[in-house]
Amino acid sequence: MKIATFNINGINRRLPNLMDWLADAAPDVVCLQELKATDRQFPATAIADAGYGAVWRGESAWNGVAILARGAEPVLTRTELPGDSDDGQARYIEAAVDGVLIASLYAPNGNPQPGPKFNYKLEWTERLIAHAGELFATGLPVVLAGDYNIVPEPRDIYATKSYDANALVQPEPRAQFARLLEQGWTDAIRKQHPHETVYTFWDYMRNRWPRDAGLRLDHLLLSKKLAKRLVSSGVDREVRGREGASDHAPTWITLGD
């Protein structure tokens, strides 16, 4: 089973890019973030024509998450992160695919910090930690995949001071990510590439893609059962270099039987 996460940064605007990548990479499951489309604007017909069933939760102009399954229909289990019934932002969706519970998440960016957006980022991640702990305790095969908007360590960002005040690299969210891992989750990319520099995001500004001035923001965390099945992982960097590309590249894992 090949599972990928991809912040598409506008699914309708990037639909040709998405279709090309699906045809080339043929992932079994895809977690999409930042759809920037309402539920009615989601391109369900095009996705189905590409051979994928889908569940999604959209939001006008911002956010939005989806899960695609090749040759199957994901079984929807949750459309929001528990813990705050007043939070209407479309940032979390969960579904079962072929015996694996898949979560697609788009964590808040948190900028500017300090301020209410950073506070929301920390509060949202606390809710994620609580829900993740409950999922891990079930012993089920679970993948928490998505754009966490956290650079876990200094080695996950290019050498720069320009991000020093950015919410993505602050000690508080980094500590939260570490607490997630302490629950027992396996960071699949870091597990497979313990000493390599791996980026998943390159901002459009300041020529960052040609300079390879990247950050690692997109993560796939695996429960204990799935960590034992991890065979390979990587980032389809070339997708970021295509015309009209998202500022993120697809990040993926493969699992053995």
Side-chain angles (χ1 to χ4, degrees):
M1 178 183 261
K2 183 177 184 179
I3 303 172
T5 182
F6 189 6
N7 180 322
I8 195 65
N9 191 15
I11 191 167
N12 289 305
R13 182 178 180 183
R14 320 279 181 200
L15 191 58
N17 301 70
L18 176 61
M19 294 295 105
D20 288 345
W21 172 70
L22 289 176
D24 291 343
D28 298 295
V29 180
V30 183
C31 297
L32 296 176
Q33 302 88 39
E34 214 171 347
L35 303 179
K36 296 182 177 178
T38 64
D39 285 344
R40 294 183 63 182
Q41 292 170 332
F42 185 83
T45 300
I47 297 295
D49 289 345
Y52 286 82
V55 292
W56 63 91
R57 184 184 173 204
E59 184 177 341
S60 179
W62 306 102
N63 306 324
V65 284
I67 297 173
L68 317 183
R70 186 157 61 102
E73 293 296 331
V75 179
L76 185 66
T77 57
R78 184 176 288 278
T79 59
E80 60 186 20
L81 193 62
D84 185 355
S85 58
D86 294 328
D87 185 359
Q89 297 191 29
R91 293 187 174 276
Y92 187 90
I93 194 167
E94 196 177 279
V97 180
D98 196 20
V100 177
L101 189 63
I102 309 284
S104 177
L105 63 96
Y106 177 48
N109 175 280
N111 285 301
Q113 72 84 30
K117 291 186 176 181
F118 188 65
N119 294 339
Y120 173 61
K121 175 187 184 69
L122 298 180
E123 292 163 2
W124 191 95
T125 307
E126 284 300 320
R127 289 160 52 202
L128 175 64
I129 292 169
H131 185 54
E134 293 175 357
L135 291 177
F136 194 88
T138 67
L140 294 170
V142 184
V143 181
L144 303 179
D147 178 359
Y148 284 67
N149 266 318
I150 297 173
V151 177
E153 302 175 82
R155 61 176 170 164
D156 293 316
I157 182 172
Y158 72 103
T160 181
K161 293 184 178 180
S162 62
Y163 276 88
D164 285 359
N166 197 289
L168 307 178
V169 302
Q170 296 309 304
E172 297 96 331
R174 281 180 165 171
Q176 288 179 315
F177 191 84
R179 285 169 53 209
L180 266 174
L181 298 184
E182 287 168 2
Q183 291 179 344
W185 300 95
T186 294
D187 179 350
I189 291 292
R190 189 50 69 204
K191 176 71 173 179
Q192 287 276 306
H193 308 278
H195 306 298
E196 297 176 35
T197 298
V198 179
Y199 300 142
T200 67
F201 166 86
W202 297 259
D203 196 285
Y204 295 123
M205 304 289 287
R206 299 180 183 177
N207 216 32
R208 286 190 173 108
W209 166 247
R211 294 193 293 121
D212 195 26
L215 293 72
R216 189 168 76 97
L217 297 178
D218 305 272
H219 313 298
L220 297 105
L221 303 190
L222 310 183
S223 64
K224 188 174 296 185
K225 281 188 176 180
L226 290 189
K228 296 176 181 178
R229 294 172 52 188
L230 181 61
V231 173
S232 60
S233 64
V235 179
D236 290 343
R237 287 173 54 102
E238 70 280 359
V239 176
R240 174 62 179 85
R242 295 175 183 172
E243 184 176 354
S246 168
D247 43 9
H248 293 251
T251 305
W252 54 267
I253 60 170
T254 56
L255 303 173
D257 293 335

